[in-house]
């Protein structure tokens, strides 16, 4: 019997998972019982709590994706592009807490790891720790629940209310086809990390982060430039200590940097975006430009394609990143016209599209999403396609496995 | 009646061309009479000189290629590669002057424009002009004889003897399939220029020229460094005035420059070679890398191909050159192994090969020729293939024309 509870769960300690027998990863045929109670349960079997849920998880594999990034770094846009690739729209759970951070589509459930805060806003203030600090987060519960979901077991996940800064009553999360855990620490805890089938780190450079925060917090929320600077500065030590080191574990890192097309550009409007893709990851083949494994720089704007100033530059090269062999695809500049996007798409290889122009179509479908005209939109869409491919590969493998083992 | 003679022909004024009727370019069916006499002939028809030759030029088009370059710039290697592309070896005329500058193969005759010097070494010294000076060259005769050959008429061409510095008795040049005129001034005179079906300028940078001259004149001929420097300096004003300006007229320019792969390299052993190809030239489509008309930089050495230091870098981009649209293909570095050469070849487009790997095979066949491991050998071979393609296109067009005109 597996019971989910944790010493660090200071407020909610009652989210549990019960399984009638030990499950083997990927094949769950047992009767599963879920419950949640106000107090820690020691005997799930006899539980009569009205929250008790039973269901058969069936023969389904949940593919788990980790997405690490600081807040305000475009994770939600990314998630909307990802779910769109699977053909659905991501929505908050129906009839649940309106402040839920979860997004659910037909295939994908995105949970925000802020929900595993063990300290609420007041608690953090009292203890003098930021949300970035591992001590403000319950990794034991995170691990147990992600493991449960991966194994096809529904969980009652806490909700951190970003509006009130409080921990709200939990919500039921059923095992989806694809579970995305997004937030500050998806690769921090090695146990959680080991559950990930694929991991992504969004690495926004300080210059761009600052420009984006100004855009959002100053223009939209009326904060002062000084307070934005102070808030970034205050977060920096913990960010560097606990968030940033996770990128070494990521299968793909998306770096967002200022353009190099305009010398000494300070505006931060035109972006240089790098997609760092690890080699040798199962079911994941890095995208490349023209010739795999060589170093290429390409300015598509020329005789056949004309672009407005400062144009577009793509490059691709094999590099090493924290000791790993990686392929780095980079796009500097932005698209002005559809022509440019489809032209670039048509010259990329290993993009895992199902038909010619699928990336362009996806981006056009959501042209109002931030970054649709630059490398962030392009690479988010590409990562969505790569995840779709990875998902289908994993599913195909697990469906094959029983037959294969019968044969051998 | 066309009589070839020129006021500038100070020594030999007796080379003549006679045609029994006016010929139309490309279709020569007339009986042609050639003669050479000790004195200027005014009446070729009655000539009984033993040098008199008659032949029927038939329905053949002579394609004329101009190759401009300073002396010691690899023209002869280039010519050997060119004739090899057509499947033959270029040899001096059989039984003729052993100091003849002419090279003849089955398809191609290469004549050296030094043969049109109107002043011999002593004459130049007396008049105080260099061989680069147009006043030391007979452009009227050059024009008349190239025109005659292009029109299928054999000529008696003078021979400038590089050993003695004298003008030797003439040699008979029959109209070949391809006539290459190589030397200092193939594009200097507008009348000669207009006869060229394709023109190439070999543009060797001063640094590389100096390194090559040292290699040849110091190591092989025992000249001093000072005398080499002095000789280059002495040639420079005339070179800049009369030779260099011809590159604006060339359909293709091959620039040879020091490498940029090694910072501040002074050795001049590793070369950066640029092939500048004019757009819009009939029967000539510039070679490109990966994507026509865009700007590409490619380091093939990487995961699939490993190269030794300092590696290889190719690039390709649309540019303008003396106001003309051009495509510039550049190769910096050198090949160490066959793998590298075939890998690079396989990624080039519009190379006009007849089968996969033809460039590599050509270069391997002549691996002892200078520059076989760098961009000079690669681009010389490519230009050879482009000339072969151009030749076949022109032949096909002229053979089609009569039928086509009959139809319309």
């Amino acid at each position: 019997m597996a019971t989910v509870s944790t010493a660090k769960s200071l407020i909610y300690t009652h989210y549990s998972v019960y399984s009638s027998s030990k499950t083997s990863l990927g094949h769950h045929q047992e009767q599963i019982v879920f419950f949640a109670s106000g107090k820690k349960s020691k005997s799930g079997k006899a539980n009569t709590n009205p929250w008790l849920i039973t269901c058969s998880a069936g023969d389904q594999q949940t593919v788990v994706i980790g997405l690490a990034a600081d807040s305000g770094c475009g994770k939600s846009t990314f998630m909307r592009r990802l779910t769109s690739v699977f053909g659905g729209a991501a929505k908050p759970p129906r009839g649940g807490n309106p402040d839920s951070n979860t997004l659910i589509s037909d295939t994908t459930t995105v949970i925000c790891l802020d929900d595993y805060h063990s300290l609420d806003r007041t608690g953090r203030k009292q203890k003098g720790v930021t949300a970035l600090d591992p001590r403000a987060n319950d990794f034991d519960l995170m691990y147990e629940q992600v493991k449960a979901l991966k194994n096809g077991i529904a969980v009652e996940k806490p909700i951190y209310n970003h509006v009130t800064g409080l921990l709200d009553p939990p919500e039921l999360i059923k095992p989806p086809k694809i579970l995305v855990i997004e937030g500050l620490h998806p690769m921090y805890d090695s146990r959680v990390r080991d559950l990930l089938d694929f991991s992504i780190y969004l690495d926004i450079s300080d210059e761009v982060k600052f420009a984006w925060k100004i855009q959002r917090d100053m223009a939209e929320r009326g904060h002062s430039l000084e307070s934005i600077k102070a808030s970034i500065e205050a977060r920096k030590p913990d960010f560097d200590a606990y968030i940033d080191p996770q990128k070494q574990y990521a299968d793909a890192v998306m770096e967002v940097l200022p353009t190099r097309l305009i010398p000494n550009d300070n505006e931060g409007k035109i972006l240089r975006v790098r997609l760092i893709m690890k080699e040798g990851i199962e079911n994941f083949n890095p995208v490349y430009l023209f010739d795999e494994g060589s170093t290429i720089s390409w300015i598509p704007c020329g005789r056949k394609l004309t672009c407005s100033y400062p144009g577009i530059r793509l490059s691709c090269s094999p590099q090493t990143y924290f000791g790993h062999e990686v392929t780095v695809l980079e796009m500097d500049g932005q698209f002005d016209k559809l022509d440019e996007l489809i032209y670039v798409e048509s010259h990329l290889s290993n993009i895992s599209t199902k038909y010619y122009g699928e990336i362009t179509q996806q981006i056009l479908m959501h042209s109002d999403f931030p970054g649709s005209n630059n490398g962030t939109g392009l690479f988010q869409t590409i990562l969505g396609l790569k995840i779709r491919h990875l998902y289908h590969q994993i599913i195909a493998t697990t469906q094959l496995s029983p037959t294969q083992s019968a044969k051998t």
Side-chain angles (χ1 to χ4, degrees), chain A:
Chain A
M1 190 185 98
T3 305
V4 177
S5 70
T6 151
K8 283 188 189 158
S9 298
L10 301 182
I11 296 167
Y12 290 92
T13 57
H14 60 287
Y15 312 120
S16 310
V17 173
Y18 169 73
S19 156
S20 60
S21 71
K22 202 177 174 187
T23 59
S24 70
L25 196 123
H27 309 285
H28 321 290
Q29 317 241 336
E30 302 89 334
Q31 181 77 1
I32 312 294
V33 182
F34 305 89
F35 62 90
S37 71
K39 51 183 181 169
K40 207 165 181 174
S41 166
K42 293 280 178 197
S43 134
K45 273 181 186 171
N47 196 298
T48 52
N49 189 294
W51 289 52
L52 180 133
I53 303 136
T54 62
C55 79
S56 179
D59 192 19
Q60 186 179 309
Q61 168 89 25
T62 290
V63 172
V64 186
I65 311 293
L67 174 66
D70 204 356
S71 61
C73 287
K75 290 188 302 271
S76 63
T77 302
F78 193 170
M79 287 307 104
R80 287 196 289 168
R81 290 197 201 277
L82 172 63
T83 48
S84 169
V85 161
F86 283 93
K91 291 173 189 162
R94 212 188 295 180
N97 186 334
D99 292 332
S100 165
N101 303 305
T102 303
L103 287 170
I104 296 174
S105 74
D106 290 349
T107 51
T108 310
T109 295
V110 183
I111 63 176
C112 176
L113 297 180
D114 288 352
D115 290 337
Y116 293 103
H117 281 337
S118 53
L119 293 173
D120 62 8
R121 201 173 285 156
T122 315
R124 294 197 299 270
K125 208 166 260 181
Q126 281 168 355
K127 296 234 170 190
V129 296
T130 71
L132 306 154
D133 193 310
R135 289 173 292 172
N137 296 277
D138 186 347
F139 289 103
D140 292 337
L141 184 62
M142 188 192 295
Y143 166 60
E144 290 297 341
Q145 294 205 332
V146 173
K147 189 176 73 170
L149 287 166
K150 190 177 175 83
N151 289 347
I153 303 165
V155 300
E156 290 282 342
K157 181 190 61 55
I159 297 174
Y160 176 75
N161 190 318
H162 285 92
V163 182
T164 62
L166 295 172
L167 289 156
D168 286 352
E171 62 186 354
L172 174 72
I173 303 292
K174 292 182 191 162
K177 289 178 176 169
I178 298 168
L179 173 70
V180 180
I181 60 169
E182 62 94 348
L184 294 166
H185 304 93
M187 287 96 88
Y188 182 84
D189 184 284
S190 67
R191 297 166 301 169
V192 178
R193 203 160 66 223
D194 290 345
L195 295 171
L196 301 176
D197 292 293
F198 193 74
S199 55
I200 300 166
Y201 186 97
L202 293 188
D203 191 6
I204 317 298
S205 70
D206 287 348
E207 299 95 317
V208 173
K209 206 180 273 187
F210 188 62
W212 284 1
K213 291 248 180 199
I214 285 176
Q215 170 67 23
R216 194 184 71 170
D217 294 349
M218 207 162 108
E220 294 170 18
R221 299 183 187 176
H223 296 199
S224 74
L225 191 68
E226 279 316 302
S227 76
I228 295 166
K229 273 188 187 169
S231 130
I232 290 178
E233 284 308 309
R235 286 171 73 83
K236 196 152 173 54
D238 277 2
F239 185 85
D240 292 348
Y242 309 119
I243 312 304
D244 191 73
Q246 294 176 90
K247 61 191 184 193
Q248 67 190 292
Y249 305 117
D251 299 318
V253 174
M254 193 167 106
E255 286 183 355
V256 184
L257 301 146
T259 185
R260 280 185 182 161
L261 297 175
I262 304 168
N264 309 313
D265 179 59
N266 292 315
E267 272 204 87
K269 293 229 168 121
I270 296 176
L271 301 176
R272 181 166 67 95
V273 188
R274 288 158 57 86
L275 184 57
I276 301 165
M277 296 162 282
K278 224 175 243 181
E279 295 288 333
I281 300 298
E282 211 174 347
N283 303 314
F284 175 68
N285 298 311
V287 177
Y288 66 88
L289 192 57
F290 299 116
D291 179 45
E292 197 169 11
S294 74
T295 299
I296 292 265
S297 155
W298 177 45
I299 299 170
C301 320
R303 226 164 255 150
K304 285 201 291 186
L305 183 76
T306 51
C307 315
S308 67
Y309 181 82
I312 298 166
R313 174 192 287 270
L314 282 103
S315 58
C316 191
S317 59
Q319 299 189 15
T320 55
Y321 186 80
F322 290 97
H324 297 285
E325 286 215 334
V326 294
T327 290
V328 181
L329 180 67
E330 178 178 313
M331 174 176 156
D332 197 350
Q334 56 190 36
F335 303 112
D336 278 336
K337 289 177 293 187
L338 172 62
D339 292 1
E340 298 166 11
L341 179 51
I342 186 73
Y343 193 72
V344 166
E345 176 181 354
S346 67
H347 287 85
L348 295 171
S349 297
N350 268 358
I351 44 177
S352 304
T353 46
K354 284 186 175 165
Y355 52 88
Y356 180 81
E358 188 176 10
I359 291 176
T360 302
Q361 199 202 54
Q362 279 293 331
I363 291 178
L364 278 182
M365 209 190 295
H366 306 294
S367 56
D368 55 320
F369 287 6
S372 289
N373 64 341
N374 65 37
T376 64
L378 176 65
F379 293 166
Q380 283 169 355
T381 305
I382 286 176
L383 284 172
L385 295 167
K386 299 307 279 184
I387 289 169
R388 184 180 66 187
H389 175 80
L390 181 113
Y391 166 74
H392 289 301
Q393 291 293 111
I394 292 174
I395 291 307
T397 313
T398 48
Q399 279 170 350
L400 265 176
S401 300
T403 327
Q404 282 177 330
S405 31
K407 275 182 189 164
T408 52

